[in-house]
Amino acid sequence: MSEIQALLDALSGLPRTRPSGPAEAQALVDRLRGVAARWADVLYEADEGCRQHLPPRAEAALALAFRRAEESWVELEIAHRDGAEHHDCAQHAHERMY
């Protein structure tokens, strides 16, 4: 359960205001990506631990929750990479101007 407490701490530590610019937005995406990865891990471990003890529909629901959490992590990974690439391109364009 310490992993769940760590997730709660990470979520409660997220900023409650909108990012003021691209750097803060990228930092938020990065933090969300980490939280999503940890949540997917928690659900995977729960699915593995409960698989033999749940009725089939409950087991399927838990497996689906894990897949959705994993998909969320993948989407945030894409957002992270796209944001980082965009920042790098903008930085190089700025450097070429000067």
Side-chain angles (χ1 to χ4, degrees):
M1 286 299 169
S2 64
E3 185 65 22
I4 291 176
Q5 186 59 52
L7 280 169
L8 291 172
D9 292 344
L11 288 171
S12 65
L14 291 173
R16 305 234 185 257
T17 58
R18 291 183 181 202
S20 64
E24 282 187 17
Q26 184 67 30
L28 178 59
V29 168
D30 292 348
R31 290 176 71 183
L32 289 170
R33 178 180 60 131
V35 170
R38 288 156 87 186
W39 179 237
D41 289 343
V42 166
L43 289 174
Y44 177 79
E45 290 172 12
D47 183 41
E48 289 291 310
C50 294
R51 182 170 288 170
Q52 297 170 348
H53 306 291
L54 294 174
R57 286 191 338 194
E59 181 185 333
L62 190 54
L64 181 59
F66 161 69
R67 284 196 301 274
R68 287 180 175 161
E70 188 175 45
E71 289 170 357
S72 293
W73 173 81
V74 168
E75 294 298 331
L76 289 165
E77 180 67 22
I78 291 167
H80 161 76
R81 288 182 185 175
D82 188 54
E85 288 174 8
H86 178 74
H87 176 74
D88 289 346
C89 289
Q91 182 68 28
H92 292 305
H94 178 68
E95 289 171 355
R96 285 193 300 261
M97 289 175 52
Y98 296 101

